[in-house]
């Protein structure tokens, strides 16, 4: 507590004294500050970085250039400390280090910053995607202040230091760091020129493959997205890994987290576009198989129904317990200690995000992933003819309503249907449209807001696709009760 209070006092003194404090800086003070940045207490580390921020803010950059003040004299020590702080497990410490890093880099003239970029750019890049919002926004702002519109050029110039850092962070114990690393790696494929990145692709893919089997579902999702981006841009470089990637994509497509299923659908569509036949045939076969999966769904689709309902065992960690002594500490609420990387952590636990605690996907979830994949692939010209033949399986899935979560599946179907019909063209899907009316009518009367909204939007899209009068005639021919309901609630969709 005394260390904390002293550092607060030192920070206030430096801030209020300004440039005059430069004469008070000596090795004893700097040694004390840098020692505090390695302290086991995160409050001490946090205030230590606040002191650093105050120290590097004393002189404007012009004076630093003229008298080569303490920032440049001790620049290497500051950079080492800031690099470490930008990767701290505690978000509050990381935030303080971000503030100090901005002051440090902006306190040096532009021509003198290149010396420190190999150390500080990689963690600064990664923190633009860090889970803590304050850290993320602060680093994004710092990046714009440093580079304006030349950020891509800076990344390309320092790829040799950035890529190893990303790979190392993809193996970090903290799952939030692994997720941010995957997002940064994905960015290299989409925003940075392909020629500078090409030489690093094999190493980056290997790092992503490990994250693809992570205990944490956000990490798996980010790795899936990144792999899809790399395959789309570096198809030939990624080809040796495709046999290992495909089962992982399919695993995510059947995941019990909706956003993971959607990310896998997008990634698989990119792979089909990159490699075409015969891979597209395999994906279409898998799509057909998963569309039928809902037929195997049991009535009890309750989430986590397979988990044990026995009372849990609770206990208190004893002070002398070696298992709780001298261990790495993380931000409050972090699941990092429970979630192993690459699916290899023994006894990992947590929520549904853990492979070691993850329930098998249910048949309706597999079909849900297939519907999302259907939508993404409907924009690929070579797949359209085969997809048209699968529309009947899509309509069949809307008739399965004997399980609790059927409304979730219907919501996905009627969200995707307008896009699917528009991409496959009206003439191709006309014979199948009436088959979706019963499910559509069911959704329009539903008390589930999201399903009802999806069905209303689908009805409006069908009105635009077919024309209001033709839609009215088809509804009247198929389901007169539905016509009466639409006339009353949504008359504009049928030209009334």
């Amino acid at each position: 507590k005394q260390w904390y209070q002293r550092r607060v006092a030192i920070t206030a003194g430096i801030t209020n004294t300004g440039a005059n404090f430069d004469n008070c800086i000596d090795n004893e003070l700097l040694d004390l500050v840098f020692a505090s940045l390695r302290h086991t207490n995160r409050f001490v580390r946090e205030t230590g970085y606040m002191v650093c921020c105050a120290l590097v803010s004393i002189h404007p950059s012009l004076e630093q250039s003229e008298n080569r003040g303490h920032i440049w004299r001790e620049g290497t020590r500051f950079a080492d400390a800031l690099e470490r702080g930008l990767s701290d497990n505690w978000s509050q410490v990381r935030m303080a280090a971000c503030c100090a890093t901005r002051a440090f880099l902006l306190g040096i003239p532009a021509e003198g910053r290149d010396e420190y970029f190999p150390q500080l750019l990689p963690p600064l890049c990664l923190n633009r995607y860090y889970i803590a919002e304050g850290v993320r926004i602060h680093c994004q702002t710092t990046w714009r202040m440093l580079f304006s519109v030349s950020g891509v050029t800076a990344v390309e110039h320092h790829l040799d230091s950035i890529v190893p850092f990303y790979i190392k962070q993809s193996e970090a114990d903290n799952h939030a760091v692994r997720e941010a690393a995957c997002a940064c790696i994905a960015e290299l494929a989409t925003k940075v020129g392909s020629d500078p990145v090409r030489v690093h692709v094999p190493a980056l893919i290997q790092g992503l493959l490990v994250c693809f089997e992570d205990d944490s579902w956000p990490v798996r999702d980010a790795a899936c997205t990144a792999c899809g981006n790399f395959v789309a841009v570096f198809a030939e470089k990624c080809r040796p890994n495709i046999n290992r990637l495909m089962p992982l994509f399919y695993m995510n497509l059947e995941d019990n987290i909706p956003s993971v299923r959607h990310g896998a659908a997008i990634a698989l569509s990119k792979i089909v576009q990159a490699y075409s036949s015969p891979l597209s045939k395999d994906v279409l076969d898998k799509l057909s198989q998963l569309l039928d999966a809902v037929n195997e769904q049991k009535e009890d689709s309750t989430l986590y129904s397979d988990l044990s309902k026995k009372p849990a065992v609770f206990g208190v960690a004893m002070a002398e317990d070696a298992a709780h002594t001298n261990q790495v500490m993380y931000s409050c609420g972090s699941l990092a200690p429970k979630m192993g990387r690459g699916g290899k952590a023994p006894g990992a636990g947590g929520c549904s995000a853990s492979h070691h605690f993850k329930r098998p996907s249910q048949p309706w979830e597999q079909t849900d992933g297939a519907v999302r994949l259907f939508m993404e692939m409907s924009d690929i010209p070579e797949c359209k003819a085969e997809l048209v033949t699968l529309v009947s399986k899509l309509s069949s899935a809307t008739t399965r309503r004997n399980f609790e979560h059927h409304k979730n599946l219907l919501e996905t179907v009627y969200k995707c249907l307008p896009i699917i019909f528009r991409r496959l063209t009206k003439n191709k899907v006309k014979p199948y449209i009436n088959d979706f009316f019963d499910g559509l009518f069911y959704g329009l009367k539903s008390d589930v807001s999201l399903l009802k909204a999806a069905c209303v939007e689908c009805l409006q899209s069908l009105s635009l696709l077919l024309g209001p009068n033709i839609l009215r005639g088809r509804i009247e021919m198929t389901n007169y009760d539905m016509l009466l309901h639409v006339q009353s609630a949504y008359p504009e969709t049928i030209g009334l």
Side-chain angles (χ1 to χ4, degrees):
K1 184 177 179 181
Q2 290 179 348
W3 281 51
Y4 175 80
Q5 292 173 340
R6 288 171 183 173
R7 274 155 186 74
V8 171
I10 291 173
T11 302
I14 295 172
T15 303
N16 293 330
T17 306
N20 293 328
F21 193 83
D22 200 27
N23 296 326
C24 302
I25 299 175
D26 54 22
N27 287 333
E28 184 179 359
L29 174 62
L30 292 176
D31 288 344
L32 177 64
V33 172
F34 289 128
S36 71
L37 303 181
R38 293 182 177 275
H39 200 278
T40 56
N41 188 310
R42 62 105 169 172
F43 292 103
V44 174
R45 296 200 305 276
E46 180 184 359
T47 52
Y49 281 108
M50 291 167 58
V51 172
C52 278
C53 184
L55 286 174
V56 299
S57 302
I58 289 178
H59 291 290
S61 59
L62 179 60
E63 291 183 22
Q64 289 290 335
S65 179
E66 291 175 349
N67 64 19
R68 302 185 66 83
H70 65 274
I71 296 180
W72 278 15
R73 291 198 307 268
E74 301 290 342
T76 301
R77 293 182 72 186
F78 274 107
D80 290 342
L82 294 173
E83 180 186 17
R84 189 169 58 254
L86 288 171
S87 299
D88 197 278
N89 277 323
W90 285 87
S91 298
Q92 295 89 337
V93 179
R94 195 177 286 236
M95 182 65 194
C98 289
C99 296
T101 300
R102 177 192 290 183
F104 175 72
L105 290 175
L106 294 180
I108 298 174
E111 63 273 10
R113 296 171 189 163
D114 285 343
E115 179 182 350
Y116 307 108
F117 279 164
Q119 273 185 281
L120 298 180
L121 275 196
L124 190 61
C125 278
L126 185 136
N127 282 325
R128 292 177 301 124
Y129 290 94
Y130 191 65
I131 192 170
E133 186 176 16
V135 173
R136 185 171 66 250
I137 293 175
H138 190 278
C139 286
Q140 290 170 356
T141 304
T142 300
W143 189 267
R144 288 193 295 270
M145 293 170 70
L146 286 172
F147 301 111
S148 184
V149 295
S150 62
V152 172
T153 304
V155 171
E156 291 178 352
H157 186 66
H158 295 282
L159 271 179
D160 288 340
S161 57
I162 288 175
V163 169
F165 181 82
Y166 284 174
I167 295 173
K168 181 180 178 181
Q169 295 304 300
S170 71
E171 301 171 354
D173 290 333
N174 192 330
H175 65 96
V177 175
R178 298 197 298 272
E179 180 186 354
C182 290
C184 289
I185 292 173
E187 184 183 56
L188 293 180
T190 56
K191 296 183 180 180
V192 180
S194 58
D195 288 338
V197 177
R198 194 178 305 277
V199 68
H200 300 288
V201 170
L204 290 168
I205 287 292
Q206 291 304 313
L208 291 173
L209 282 169
V210 174
C211 290
F212 222 141
E213 301 178 79
D214 202 272
D215 288 348
S216 170
W217 71 259
V219 178
R220 296 198 306 273
D221 190 23
C224 180
T225 300
C227 286
N229 290 344
F230 268 86
V231 169
V233 179
F234 305 102
E236 291 307 313
K237 281 280 188 179
C238 296
R239 190 180 291 274
N241 297 291
I242 197 64
N243 290 333
R244 187 177 171 191
L245 281 170
M246 292 306 293
L248 296 173
F249 282 124
Y250 290 144
M251 178 184 69
N252 270 22
L253 188 66
E254 302 173 21
D255 199 272
N256 42 52
I257 305 295
S259 60
V260 175
R261 297 195 293 268
H262 191 74
I266 295 173
L268 278 168
S269 69
K270 292 180 179 179
I271 287 182
V272 170
Q273 293 180 72
Y275 295 119
S276 301
S277 186
L279 189 62
S280 60
K281 180 66 167 60
D282 295 338
V283 176
L284 286 168
D285 289 343
K286 183 69 173 180
L287 173 62
S288 177
Q289 173 191 337
L290 294 180
L291 285 172
D292 290 333
V294 70
N295 296 324
E296 307 298 324
Q297 178 64 54
K298 298 178 181 178
E299 290 187 11
D300 183 11
S301 63
T302 306
L303 292 177
Y304 318 123
S305 60
D306 296 333
L307 299 182
S308 172
K309 296 179 175 61
K310 295 180 181 179
V313 178
F314 293 90
V316 178
M318 305 304 292
E320 65 273 13
D321 191 345
H324 303 282
T325 305
N326 294 327
Q327 301 298 314
V328 178
M329 294 180 290
Y330 300 87
S331 291
C332 298
S334 173
L335 298 174
K338 303 174 184 176
M339 296 194 176
R341 53 185 182 273
K344 298 177 181 178
C351 60
S352 64
S354 172
H355 269 318
H356 303 276
F357 195 68
K358 176 188 171 185
R359 64 169 174 80
S361 61
Q362 299 197 32
W364 77 265
E365 292 171 328
Q366 298 172 11
T367 299
D368 182 278
V371 173
R372 297 170 190 270
L373 178 59
F374 197 122
M375 180 186 69
E376 297 299 332
M377 293 183 65
S378 64
D379 203 29
I380 303 175
E382 69 177 81
C383 297
K384 290 187 176 183
E386 182 70 22
L387 288 174
V388 169
T389 66
L390 297 177
V391 174
S392 59
K393 290 192 174 188
L394 192 60
S395 65
S396 177
T398 65
T399 65
R400 295 281 298 168
R401 302 172 202 158
N402 63 328
F403 56 96
E404 184 175 346
H405 290 84
H406 69 276
K407 293 180 180 179
N408 299 71
L409 178 59
L410 287 175
E411 178 194 341
T412 300
V413 171
Y414 287 104
K415 267 185 178 181
C416 297
L417 206 58
I419 299 173
I420 292 172
F421 282 173
R422 186 172 66 250
R423 289 174 175 176
L424 295 182
T425 71
K426 178 172 64 176
N427 292 335
K428 298 291 185 182
V429 300
K430 268 184 179 180
Y432 305 99
I433 290 179
N434 290 14
D435 297 336
F436 292 90
F437 282 164
D438 283 344
L440 186 61
F441 184 36
Y442 178 84
L444 290 172
K445 297 187 300 177
S446 174
D447 57 354
V448 178
S449 299
L450 291 176
L451 171 58
K452 186 174 182 178
C455 289
V456 170
E457 186 176 343
C458 182
L459 181 67
Q460 294 169 342
S461 298
L462 288 175
S463 178
L464 294 174
L465 182 70
L466 299 174
N469 294 329
I470 295 177
L471 178 61
R472 183 172 69 249
R474 280 176 171 259
I475 294 175
E476 184 176 12
M477 179 176 60
T478 307
N479 189 328
Y480 192 73
D481 289 338
M482 179 179 176
L483 178 64
L484 296 178
H485 181 77
V486 172
Q487 282 179 340
S488 173
Y490 315 102
E492 69 283 355
T493 61
I494 55 175
L496 298 179

